[in-house]
Amino acid sequence: MKKTLRVLVLAVFALTGFSGHAQAFEITPSYGYQFGGRLNYGSNYLKVDNSGMFGITAGFEARRDYMIEVTYINMSTELRIRDRILSPSEDFLADMNVDWFLVGGTRYFTNGNIKPFFGGQLGLSVFSPKNENRDIVNRSLDSATYFSFGFKGGVVIMLTESIGLNFQGNILFPVEWGGVYVGVGPGGPSTGVSAGGTIVMGGFSGGLVFRFGA
């Protein structure tokens, strides 16, 4: 994951270099609430539960009102399952840590103290399960990395020339999420679940904007 983050940061610097100049630099730490997503297979499903999230975005102003950004987001949540054989009612399957590493661009629509914005992102999401429910699964679940993309929109309210507030909503799409194998615990019959598809995960957050330069 550290190698992936370094690659994304270098990509931002490279893109900024192609723009010819960087007028300003922004850092935005944030905290919010991320809605999970559900992947159906027949009448059953795997679900990433809702949870809190924190993130940080670093951006360069490639040209006036256009930012090139790298973003890191973390969710600490639960993976849940409903399966007519393994778990007829929805049950806890594992704790789940989700890391997002994204590169994108944001367009500010005004350059005053109140700045609505919209942006798009692409990158990777890493799903890392742990503390599996041994009543359902008889071995550890593997971590998995997926290509992901997303969109965001909101408003920045600048309190001074260098400090502001960020309020935004986002939609994130991990592509082809799934492929989880689950088996009944020791002594029971062995069976499995393998499901894939794109899920949609929306959320909202607030943060502080620290702006340096012009």
Side-chain angles (χ1 to χ4, degrees), residues 36-207:
R38 192 169 82 175
L39 182 63
N40 296 313
Y41 57 100
S43 60
N44 311 308
Y45 60 79
L46 293 166
K47 183 174 78 173
V48 178
D49 215 0
N50 305 336
S51 77
M53 56 79 72
F54 68 87
I56 186 165
T57 295
F60 293 90
E61 190 174 53
R63 61 190 180 96
R64 189 173 183 86
D65 299 327
Y66 287 88
M67 305 294 293
I68 296 174
E69 299 172 331
V70 59
T71 297
Y72 169 73
I73 299 172
N74 176 268
M75 293 175 62
S76 182
T77 181
E78 292 183 355
L79 179 64
R80 304 186 69 84
I81 186 172
R82 189 186 74 181
D83 185 281
R84 62 186 181 86
I85 296 175
L86 301 179
S87 179
S89 59
E90 183 182 301
D91 201 356
F92 168 82
L93 180 59
D95 290 322
M96 178 75 79
N97 188 75
V98 188
D99 296 294
W100 306 80
F101 304 93
L102 303 165
V103 168
T106 292
R107 166 75 158 94
Y108 287 123
F109 294 103
T110 64
N111 55 21
N113 291 336
I114 300 177
K115 304 193 294 184
F117 65 86
F118 181 80
Q121 303 166 304
L122 58 86
L124 301 174
S125 54
V126 182
F127 289 74
S128 305
K130 61 181 180 179
N131 301 326
E132 292 84 352
N133 183 349
R134 294 301 181 181
D135 291 333
I136 298 176
V137 55
N138 56 14
R139 66 183 180 89
S140 297
L141 303 178
D142 294 330
S143 296
T145 302
Y146 303 99
F147 170 74
S148 299
F149 64 97
F151 302 97
K152 64 178 182 176
V155 63
V156 168
I157 303 172
M158 296 304 297
L159 305 177
T160 69
E161 289 187 357
S162 57
I163 299 177
L165 300 175
N166 172 289
F167 302 97
Q168 72 175 49
N170 67 66
I171 301 177
L172 299 171
F173 303 83
V175 178
E176 289 301 316
W177 182 84
V180 176
Y181 178 86
V182 233
V184 174
S190 178
T191 186
V193 170
S194 183
T198 300
I199 61 174
V200 180
M201 303 173 71
F204 55 88
S205 64

